[in-house]
């Protein structure tokens, strides 16, 4: 299938023969399209077979002109538009040049070579950088991006640095954070008792303390990280205990790509992402959970590890000394934003960290590490922060000049600001469940409006009336406009992939407020550029205990069984016992369900995952968001086929009735069928449901969005099934499929309207379609 790749390359890529290089490379691979210089770098659109485009992207980085440097390369795969040749076209100069703020990017190879050269004046200097690398977004205070407008303004350049800064032929020409040991920031190690060690020996001593099993709070690029020896199980467990983080996996930093290869299976594309200037955390499959040096307590029961390479000079110096993997998790108390200054760090992290490796370059704004998963040879960003934010998403169809602010949802919050045709999506903020998280949310909004000198004429929020983001939006007189949560998911994916015309949108997640005031999460929409219709939904079931059911998968299971069997479910003592309820809990839950007390209805596929996980005895209670569903995914065996029955029933909308599926699962459990086979068939059935709805409504384009599509098997199986049945599938790439992408969707959906769908056009035989 012919696909179009849209590629934006930043760095030293102009005046070095980059466009002719791209032309020759495209011609050799028989690609069609164009390349041009823009004020933001080099822009390419190329069409060809998907695997050829992947080869093209890898070759750009490997074979680029000798004098060029790539500081960032964004790409997305989009629909073909039928180019007939490949050509170099005239350069473009966009008006948005002054508003583009580059993300923080990893230290480049040239700087690393200098840092490791004992005869260089920046030998072992932990803040080495140049025009091609280093801090950007985390240090800028206002536009334009000049040194006086950054947190480097207090460091007066020495004569040598000043000469480099003013020399157009030097790699540090107008590199705003440029510095050296004479004139720049310095590091120091401070114990929890206040003892200090200053200079490079502080990093050496830090390495010694890590080997001793101590926990270090390290001030990084966009905030603090908590560092510990990843091989030391006792030290990792101590970090969990102090940080109040039970089982959620920790991120890791490995010293080299070779050391990662020893622990995990790493594809060429995953290697490319790990070594990219963005340098995110990449989710990688372990080769063997028992054969790695990584302690089991790093990611208990998880076949994947979240791994990144060193991306700052400090990290490189520390990891070069240690030559072992470390835990490098966010420097915060769980559910709070990361700390960015010393006062906050000593206040919140004392009691967690034994030592603090700090520096005196101020961090202007918190920027967490980004998280990426590679799906079918493309990046899927799960947390968008360092390396990616605040680069804009271009709304190709929106010619409106008005400024719009979108405040996102409640979980995994990010905000977005629309200026002309660009939407600037903020860094990950997090769950707005604590006072400090909400304060960070307010600060990011103020920050964006000040940075981009914008006063929004409209504020878009979630439909949920109690989300703190919604309550904030409602404070604006006459500017607030709510957008339904799940349609925002679909609109986000539409916008990112520049989908045109009519498409079926599938939005599956854990929680979202519906038009009928119930909890949605298994939704189907038909949409185009101007309007959308809610056409299908999973059968609803009660969640006894409401919010408690999000953390207790067994409650979702009980709610699903109650929907099927009513009060008779409580007569099945064996099943109730297997769900681990005590007799007292059982009576309370029976009363809640019978009297419909605190038992909201939900159509959530996320909660259906929880229900099946609990019924299989895989996970009754989650220690972190999505744990029960993840455990179910880990059981999948790709060699197993088979599906369960379900029904599509015509009502006010199409109802996906999962009753036959749950009944079959219970029956197979009693027959002794393995939970791996049941889990695989459950996933296969979900993919089949999407195909059947697409066929029923006659849509050729299918958009997948929502937290459930972080599940790699579900995504790949669904794409395989849809494409084999002549459907074009769109998934998220640079914007999170989870609630981190909601803000973009809110803006993209701002000018669309809801219309009722005529179900009489569908051909559901006798009002019920049974999949067999």
């Amino acid at each position: 299938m012919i696909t179009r790749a849209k590629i934006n390359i930043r760095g030293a890529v102009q005046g070095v023969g980059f466009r002719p290089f791209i032309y020759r490379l495209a011609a050799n691979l028989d690609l069609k399209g164009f390349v041009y210089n823009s004020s933001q770098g080099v822009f390419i659109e190329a069409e060809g077979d998907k695997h050829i485009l992947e080869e093209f992207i890898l070759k750009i980085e490997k074979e680029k002109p000798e004098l060029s440097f790539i500081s960032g390369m964004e790409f997305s795969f989009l629909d073909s538009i039928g180019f007939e040749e490949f050509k170099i076209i005239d350069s473009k100069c966009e008006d948005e040049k002054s508003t583009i703020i580059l993300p923080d990017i990893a230290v480049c190879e040239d700087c690393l070579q200098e840092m490791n050269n004992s005869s260089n004046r920046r030998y072992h200097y932990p803040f080495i950088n140049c025009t091609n690398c280093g801090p950007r977004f985390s240090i800028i205070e206002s536009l334009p991006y000049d040194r006086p407008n950054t947190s480097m303004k207090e460091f007066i350049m020495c004569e040598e640095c000043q000469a480099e800064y003013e020399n157009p032929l030097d790699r540090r020409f107008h590199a705003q954070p440029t510095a050296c040991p004479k004139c720049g920031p310095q590091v120091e190690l401070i114990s929890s008792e206040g003892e200090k060690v200053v200079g490079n020996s502080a990093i050496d001593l830090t390495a010694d303390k890590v080997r001793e099993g101590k926990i270090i709070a390290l001030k990084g690029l966009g905030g603090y990280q908590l560092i510990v020896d990843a091989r030391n199980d006792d030290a990792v467990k101590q970090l969990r205990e102090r940080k109040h983080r039970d089982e959620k996996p920790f991120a890791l930093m490995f010293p080299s790509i070779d050391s990662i290869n020893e622990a995990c299976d790493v594809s060429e594309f995953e290697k490319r992402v790990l070594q990219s200037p963005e340098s995110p955390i990449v989710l990688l499959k372990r080769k063997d959970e028992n054969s790695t040096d990584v302690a089991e307590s790093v990611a208990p029961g998880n076949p994947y590890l979240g791994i990144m390479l060193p991306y700052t000079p400090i990290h490189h110096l520390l990891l070069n000394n240690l030559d072992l993997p470390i835990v490098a998790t966010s420097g915060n108390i769980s559910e709070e934003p990361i700390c960015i200054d010393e006062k906050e760090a000593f206040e919140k992290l004392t009691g967690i960290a034994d030592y603090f490796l700090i520096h005196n370059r101020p961090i202007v704004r918190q920027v967490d590490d980004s998280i990426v998963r590679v799906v079918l040879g493309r990046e899927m960003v799960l947390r968008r922060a360092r390396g990616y934010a605040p680069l804009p998403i271009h709304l190709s169809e929106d010619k409106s000049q008005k400024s719009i602010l979108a405040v996102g949802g409640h979980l995994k919050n990010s905000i977005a600001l629309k200026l002309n045709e660009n939407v600037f999506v903020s860094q990950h903020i997090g769950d707005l469940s604590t006072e400090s998280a909400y304060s960070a949310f307010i600060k990011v909004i103020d920050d964006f409006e000040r940075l981009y000198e914008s006063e929004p004429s409209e504020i878009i929020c979630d439909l949920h009336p109690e989300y703190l983001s919604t309550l904030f939006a409602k404070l604006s007189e006459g500017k607030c406009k709510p957008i339904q949560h799940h349609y925002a998911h679909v609109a986000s994916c539409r916008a990112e992939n520049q989908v045109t015309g009519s498409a079926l949108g599938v939005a599956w997640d854990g929680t979202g407020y519906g038009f009928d005031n119930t909890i949605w999460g298994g939704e189907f929409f038909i949409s185009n550029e101007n309007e959308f219709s809610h056409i299908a939904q999973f059968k609803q079931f009660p969640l006894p205990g409401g919010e408690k059911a999000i953390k207790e998968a067994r409650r979702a299971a009980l709610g699903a069984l109650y929907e099927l069997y009513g009060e008779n479910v409580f007569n099945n003592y064996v099943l109730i016992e297997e769900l681990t309820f005590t007799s007292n809990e059982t009576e309370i839950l029976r009363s809640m369900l019978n009297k419909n007390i605190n038992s909201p209805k939900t159509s959530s596929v996320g909660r259906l995952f929880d229900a099946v996980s609990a019924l299989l005895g895989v996970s009754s209670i989650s220690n972190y968001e999505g744990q029960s569903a993840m455990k179910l995914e880990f059981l999948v065996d790709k060699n197993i086929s088979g599906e369960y029955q379900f029904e599509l029933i015509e009502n006010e909308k199409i109802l996906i009735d999962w009753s036959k599926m749950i009944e079959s699962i219970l029956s197979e459990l009693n027959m002794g069928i393995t939970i791996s086979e049941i889990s695989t068939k459950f996933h296969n059935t979900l993919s089949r449901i999407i195909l059947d709805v697409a066929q029923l409504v006659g849509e050729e384009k299918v958009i997948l969005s929502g937290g459930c599509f972080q599940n790699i098997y579900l995504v790949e199986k669904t794409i395989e099934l849809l494409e084999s049945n002549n459907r074009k599938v769109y998934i998220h790439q640079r914007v999170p499929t989870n609630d981190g992408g909601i803000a973009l969707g809110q803006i993209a959906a701002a000018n669309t309207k809801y219309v009722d769908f005529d179900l009489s056009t569908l051909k559901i035989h006798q009002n019920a379609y049974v999949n067999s």
Side-chain angles (χ1 to χ4, degrees):
M1 180 183 294
I2 300 298
T3 301
R4 173 170 52 117
K6 181 178 179 181
I7 308 167
N8 194 1
I9 302 174
R10 304 180 303 280
V13 289
Q14 295 184 13
V16 292
F18 208 91
R19 288 179 300 164
F21 156 69
I22 293 295
Y23 178 86
R24 291 191 298 270
L25 183 57
N28 289 339
L29 295 172
D30 197 27
L31 299 175
K32 315 299 182 187
F34 60 82
V35 58
Y36 67 80
N37 282 339
S38 78
S39 57
Q40 300 167 34
V42 169
F43 187 84
I44 306 163
E45 289 200 18
E47 291 186 350
D49 288 338
K50 174 82 176 340
H51 72 281
I52 298 295
L53 289 172
E54 290 170 357
E55 181 183 353
F56 178 60
I57 290 165
L58 292 171
K59 281 179 175 288
I60 289 174
E61 293 181 307
K62 289 179 179 178
E63 301 175 9
K64 63 185 184 297
E66 185 176 352
L67 296 179
S68 68
F69 178 86
I70 295 176
S71 63
M73 183 163 79
E74 277 201 303
F75 59 90
S76 299
F77 294 111
L78 307 172
D79 287 346
S80 167
I81 54 178
F83 295 124
E84 295 182 353
E85 60 180 332
F86 197 93
K87 56 186 178 180
I88 299 173
I89 62 178
D90 292 339
S91 300
K92 296 186 179 182
C93 184
E94 295 90 341
D95 293 336
E96 285 83 9
K97 179 176 181 179
S98 63
T99 65
I100 301 296
I101 300 171
L102 291 179
D104 301 310
I105 47 181
V107 60
C108 68
E109 283 300 319
D110 288 336
C111 283
L112 286 177
Q113 287 179 16
E114 290 178 350
M115 187 182 76
N116 292 317
N117 181 353
S118 58
S119 62
N120 190 280
R121 70 189 186 92
R122 291 187 176 90
Y123 178 59
H124 280 187
Y125 182 54
F127 300 94
I128 191 169
N129 68 85
C130 68
T131 309
N132 302 323
C133 67
R136 301 289 193 276
F137 186 45
S138 63
I139 64 169
I140 187 171
E141 295 174 342
S142 62
L143 289 167
Y145 177 58
D146 293 323
R147 193 175 178 107
N149 295 331
T150 74
S151 61
M152 284 295 294
K153 61 181 180 292
E154 61 191 67
F155 298 98
I156 307 302
M157 283 182 279
C158 65
E159 288 184 8
E160 291 170 291
C161 286
Q162 189 73 40
E164 292 170 337
Y165 182 84
E166 293 174 352
N167 181 1
L169 301 179
D170 196 281
R171 203 173 81 251
R172 293 186 172 88
F173 175 61
H174 283 192
Q176 308 307 337
T178 195
C180 75
K182 284 184 188 177
C183 62
Q186 302 293 329
V187 294
E188 60 182 8
L189 182 68
I190 304 176
S191 71
S192 54
E193 289 79 31
E195 299 174 2
K196 293 184 180 180
V197 176
V198 180
N200 282 351
S201 57
I203 295 176
D204 295 335
L205 184 56
T206 298
D208 292 339
K209 295 304 177 184
V210 170
R211 289 190 190 93
E212 292 172 13
K214 301 299 183 183
I215 298 170
I216 312 297
L218 181 151
K219 185 180 181 183
L221 196 59
Y224 276 80
Q225 295 170 317
L226 291 167
I227 303 293
V228 74
D229 182 350
R231 308 167 308 165
N232 188 328
D233 200 52
D234 289 338
V236 176
K237 285 177 178 175
Q238 189 171 59
L239 176 58
R240 286 200 176 280
E241 184 179 338
R242 293 182 184 180
K243 190 174 158 76
H244 306 300
R245 183 160 164 167
D246 293 330
E247 295 182 11
K248 188 176 182 180
F250 282 134
L252 298 169
M253 184 176 284
F254 274 62
S256 66
I257 196 71
D258 289 339
S259 61
I260 296 175
N261 273 320
E262 291 175 9
C264 298
D265 295 318
V266 187
S267 70
E268 276 300 306
F269 221 83
E270 287 167 335
K271 180 180 176 182
R272 181 257 157 205
V273 177
L274 284 163
Q275 296 178 315
S276 70
E278 293 83 2
S279 193
I281 298 166
V282 182
L283 299 186
L284 300 171
K285 185 73 177 291
R286 299 193 205 196
K287 284 183 174 174
D288 184 343
E289 292 180 47
N290 300 315
S291 67
T292 71
D293 279 342
V294 175
E296 172 58 26
S297 54
V298 166
N302 196 318
Y304 290 88
L305 294 175
I307 297 177
M308 58 186 151
L309 287 168
Y311 57 85
T312 70
I314 292 176
H315 289 118
H316 277 277
L317 290 168
L318 181 60
L319 270 291
N320 286 346
N321 187 315
L322 285 168
D323 195 27
L324 55 84
I326 58 172
V327 167
T329 189
S330 301
N332 60 357
I333 299 171
S334 290
E335 309 306 327
E336 292 194 358
I338 56 174
C339 301
I340 63 171
D341 62 51
E342 286 62 70
K343 181 177 181 296
E344 183 183 28
F346 284 117
E347 180 182 306
K348 294 190 174 182
L349 302 182
T350 297
I352 299 178
D354 301 306
Y355 291 85
F356 293 77
L357 183 63
I358 68 171
H359 59 76
N360 58 339
R361 182 177 68 199
I363 299 172
V364 174
R365 61 187 56 79
Q366 55 93 8
V367 186
D368 238 314
D369 294 317
S370 295
I371 302 175
V372 166
R373 194 169 200 175
V374 173
V375 180
L376 295 172
R378 70 184 80 175
E379 279 180 83
M380 177 185 277
V381 175
L382 303 180
R383 184 167 77 190
R384 190 175 190 270
R386 177 183 54 76
Y388 299 88
L391 290 174
I393 305 297
H394 190 71
L395 296 184
S396 57
E397 298 300 320
D398 192 338
K399 306 301 180 184
S400 167
Q401 298 299 303
K402 68 179 179 181
S403 171
I404 301 175
L405 171 70
V407 294
H410 184 74
L411 301 177
K412 297 179 174 61
N413 180 270
S414 64
I415 63 107
L417 183 66
K418 176 186 174 293
L419 298 176
N420 300 320
E421 296 174 22
N422 281 332
V423 179
F424 297 91
V425 182
S426 80
Q427 70 274 35
H428 167 83
I429 299 169
D431 299 354
L432 304 184
S433 53
T434 64
E435 184 178 343
S436 58
Y438 183 71
S439 296
F441 163 76
I442 298 296
K443 183 179 178 181
V444 171
I445 292 173
D446 291 343
D447 188 33
F448 264 52
E449 291 181 354
R450 180 181 51 79
L451 266 179
Y452 296 106
E453 298 179 354
S454 171
E455 184 175 342
S457 59
E458 195 170 27
I459 300 180
I460 316 296
C461 64
D462 195 273
L463 192 63
H464 198 299
E466 295 178 9
Y467 279 0
L468 291 178
S469 54
T470 302
L471 294 173
F472 168 85
K474 287 182 176 178
L475 294 175
S476 62
E477 297 180 4
K479 290 184 179 181
C480 176
K481 179 178 181 179
I483 297 291
Q484 201 280 322
H485 184 92
H486 297 95
Y487 185 61
H489 269 305
V490 172
S492 175
C493 196
R494 274 192 74 101
E496 183 188 355
N497 288 283
Q498 298 181 3
V499 180
T500 58
S502 182
L504 173 67
V506 184
W508 289 358
D509 62 6
T511 300
Y513 195 76
F515 289 132
D516 58 0
N517 304 328
T518 64
I519 301 170
W520 287 8
E523 315 309 313
F524 295 78
F525 300 86
I526 289 180
S527 65
N528 57 35
E529 289 82 353
N530 302 310
E531 57 190 31
F532 69 99
S533 304
H534 184 215
I535 60 122
Q537 180 180 63
F538 271 65
K539 176 181 175 141
Q540 294 192 331
F541 60 95
L543 291 176
E547 288 287 324
K548 269 195 171 182
I550 296 174
K551 294 187 176 180
E552 296 187 26
R554 57 185 185 162
R555 289 176 182 256
L558 182 62
L561 294 174
Y562 187 85
E563 183 66 28
L564 280 179
Y565 305 119
E567 191 175 3
N568 287 335
V569 69
F570 293 100
N571 297 327
N572 190 332
Y573 301 110
V574 174
L575 188 54
I576 295 297
E577 189 174 289
E578 287 176 349
L579 291 176
T580 70
F581 292 117
T582 65
S583 57
N584 185 49
E585 287 174 329
T586 301
E587 287 309 308
I588 292 172
L589 291 167
R590 183 203 295 262
S591 178
M592 290 171 65
L593 288 165
N594 285 340
K595 296 177 181 178
N596 194 25
I597 297 172
N598 193 22
S599 298
K601 290 275 192 174
T602 185
S603 59
S604 167
V605 174
R607 298 288 82 82
L608 197 59
F609 263 96
D610 289 349
V612 173
S613 187
L615 289 174
L616 298 186
V618 174
S619 178
S620 292
I621 296 176
S622 295
N623 288 305
Y624 57 89
E625 184 194 3
Q627 184 183 23
S628 295
M630 287 169 60
K631 285 185 174 182
L632 202 60
E633 177 191 355
F634 299 154
L635 288 169
V636 165
D637 182 344
K638 294 182 179 180
N639 297 314
I640 294 174
S641 58
E643 301 163 357
Y644 295 114
Q645 285 190 356
F646 57 87
E647 293 181 278
L648 301 183
I649 302 171
E650 182 182 343
N651 202 333
E652 293 180 359
K653 59 179 71 71
I654 302 166
L655 186 70
I656 296 101
D657 190 342
W658 39 260
S659 303
K660 292 180 182 294
M661 178 176 67
I662 296 296
E663 288 171 346
S664 296
I665 287 172
L666 292 173
S667 175
E668 289 190 349
L669 266 177
N670 290 330
M671 293 165 56
I673 303 297
T674 66
I675 57 176
S676 177
E677 181 172 343
I678 295 172
S679 174
T680 308
K681 289 167 69 175
F682 170 67
H683 280 80
N684 293 346
T685 305
L686 293 177
S687 297
R688 174 64 63 179
I689 286 170
I690 295 174
L691 173 62
D692 283 6
V693 172
Q695 290 178 327
L696 192 63
V697 299
E699 290 292 336
E700 294 183 359
K701 298 177 180 178
V702 182
I703 295 167
L704 307 179
S705 187
C708 289
F709 294 108
Q710 295 174 125
N711 180 318
I712 193 167
Y713 179 77
L714 178 63
V715 170
E716 292 183 347
K717 182 67 178 178
T718 302
I719 291 174
E720 175 192 340
L721 194 60
L722 287 166
E723 288 186 345
S724 66
N725 283 273
N726 303 313
R727 260 64 189 178
K728 175 68 178 176
V729 190
Y730 303 89
I731 62 172
H732 286 274
Q733 300 174 70
R734 311 292 289 187
V735 176
T737 189
N738 56 47
D739 284 7
I742 285 287
L744 170 63
Q746 289 172 340
I747 287 176
N751 295 321
T752 59
K753 64 178 182 179
Y754 181 80
V755 295
D756 290 326
F757 185 74
D758 183 4
L759 288 181
S760 66
T761 61
L762 306 181
K763 298 176 182 178
I764 304 180
H765 182 61
Q766 294 180 344
N767 295 334
Y769 169 87
V770 180
N771 175 279
S772 57

